[in-house]
Amino acid sequence: MDERHVRRAVDLARHGAGTTSPNPVVGCVVVAADGAVVGEGWHERAGGPHAEVNALTAAGGRAAGGTAYVTLEPCNHRGRTGPCVEALLAAGIRRVVYAVDDPGAVQGGGAGRLRAAGVDVRGGVLAAEAERGNEAWLTSARRGRPHVLWKFAATLDGRSAAADGTSRWISSPASRAQVHDLRRRVDAIVAGSGTVLSDDPHLTARSPDGALQGRQPLRVVLDRRGRVPTTARVLDDAAPTLVSTAASPAELLQELHSRAVVSVLLEGGPTLAGAFLAAGLVDRVVAYVAPALLGQGPSALGPAGVGTIAEAVRLDVDEVEVVGGDVRLSGRPVR
């Protein structure tokens, strides 16, 4: 029963993807003493009520004596909103079941405070599932840097462009629509100066008709030598842009972390991707493989610090699907 309700909370948390940063995505289910689900909620936006408060509001008086199922340990600090621990205690919740411990030094301690008040607390339920749904924020909190997702499109033989440099379009319209949704959900998109010079990308989240779609991420161009011209599309006013001269991927991520960037979508060329992989700074890979063969042309990945097959970056694949004729593969480097 606990797992069923926590899994529902994990599903609810997904509704907040792309709107809660720099806060985590969190879902909550409130079950009355008689076993009936009386309230559901999720954290909808940064600065707004947390998931527990939304679920308790929906439950009203029926929450008293019941159980709250939450994807993340309830917070015990006062920021833009009050502590969720206080809201749970005020509602008369007698049991709290959560998935993932809060790693934050400021936010943590909610479980201990609940136990001290006589609430029955169980943690770690479906922790792996909940962590996957909240991996960007957890990476930021635990490692002190943004979560990095590397997205690329390639032909079946690993080419990102033809011999003459043309690359539009390797992937299908359906795949490109998914990429725009990925952009909408992250805080920043990173590309190198080489990609900007060769492709002049806009790096915005757009709908199929080309219109800007919702919240726009920070566009980041790594340009150590000042090569990007002022006429580049990435420098227009459609979204904020940061041109960085950071000397390494680690330095760039620290710069972005200081700006409260929690998640990064890496869309640069093979050189930039190789540098991030070599540094061990890619947390997830999403590849769109088109059923096409080129035989020559630039590869999707440049030098990545791999000299022998034993050093290959292996992926723990969690999803494979066909999208518009392409194969979409998602996985995480095995560390």
Side-chain angles (χ1 to χ4, degrees):
M1 191 67 68
D2 283 353
E3 289 187 358
R4 188 183 79 180
H5 291 311
V6 171
R7 185 168 285 115
R8 172 58 180 165
V10 171
D11 290 339
L12 291 169
R14 294 192 180 102
H15 291 297
T19 61
T20 65
S21 187
N23 294 348
V25 293
V26 183
C28 179
V29 175
V30 175
V31 176
D34 62 4
V37 174
V38 293
E40 293 185 339
W42 62 90
H43 185 37
E44 299 175 7
R45 58 180 177 82
H50 289 188
E52 296 93 322
V53 173
N54 285 331
L56 290 171
T57 299
R62 297 197 65 187
T67 301
Y69 294 89
V70 197
T71 56
L72 185 67
E73 178 184 0
C75 67
N76 186 33
H77 81 291
R78 184 173 298 277
R80 285 183 284 182
T81 61
C84 289
V85 167
E86 292 183 1
L88 292 166
L89 293 174
I93 290 291
R94 301 308 304 159
R95 185 168 183 256
V96 171
V97 179
Y98 70 90
V100 181
D101 291 332
D102 191 328
V106 174
Q107 295 91 343
R113 183 173 174 188
L114 288 168
R115 289 191 180 100
V119 177
D120 179 21
V121 179
R122 180 188 180 195
V125 178
L126 296 184
E129 289 186 29
E131 287 205 10
R132 286 290 174 91
N134 209 15
E135 61 183 337
W137 183 83
L138 288 169
T139 298
S140 178
R142 291 169 175 168
R143 300 183 181 179
R145 64 162 176 83
H147 177 273
V148 178
L149 165 60
W150 173 41
K151 182 280 303 177
F152 70 93
T155 59
L156 193 59
D157 55 342
R159 306 294 176 177
S160 61
D164 64 357
T166 56
S167 60
R168 296 182 179 180
W169 294 102
I170 286 178
S171 58
S172 67
S175 294
R176 297 198 297 274
Q178 282 196 358
V179 170
H180 283 287
D181 188 58
L182 284 177
R183 289 178 177 180
R184 183 182 61 81
R185 293 170 181 267
V186 299
D187 296 331
I189 303 173
V190 176
S193 58
T195 296
V196 173
L197 289 172
S198 62
D199 296 343
D200 195 21
H202 205 208
L203 301 183
T204 51
R206 302 184 301 278
S207 58
D209 63 3
L212 295 178
Q213 183 182 32
R215 164 182 173 270
Q216 295 297 317
L218 173 69
R219 301 176 294 188
V220 181
V221 179
L222 187 58
D223 185 18
R224 301 188 188 100
R225 291 176 286 172
R227 299 194 300 161
V228 174
T230 57
T231 55
R233 291 204 303 161
V234 76
L235 298 179
D236 66 13
D237 60 359
T241 303
L242 170 68
V243 178
S244 173
T245 58
S248 68
E251 182 179 333
L252 175 62
L253 292 184
Q254 285 303 310
E255 181 178 0
L256 295 177
H257 183 68
S258 70
R259 296 171 178 264
V261 169
V262 170
S263 55
V264 163
L265 178 60
L266 191 63
E267 288 208 52
T271 301
L272 188 64
F276 270 79
L277 273 172
L281 294 174
V282 173
D283 300 296
R284 184 181 172 209
V285 178
V286 173
Y288 290 89
V289 182
L293 299 168
L294 288 173
Q296 57 182 330
S299 299
L301 179 64
V306 176
T308 179
I309 193 67
E311 299 172 346
V313 180
R314 304 285 181 177
L315 298 183
D316 179 9
V317 176
D318 57 40
E319 185 179 5
V320 178
E321 66 172 329
V322 176
V323 180
D326 303 327
V327 175
R328 179 185 186 270
L329 183 147
S330 172
R332 293 159 177 81
V334 179
R335 306 199 182 277

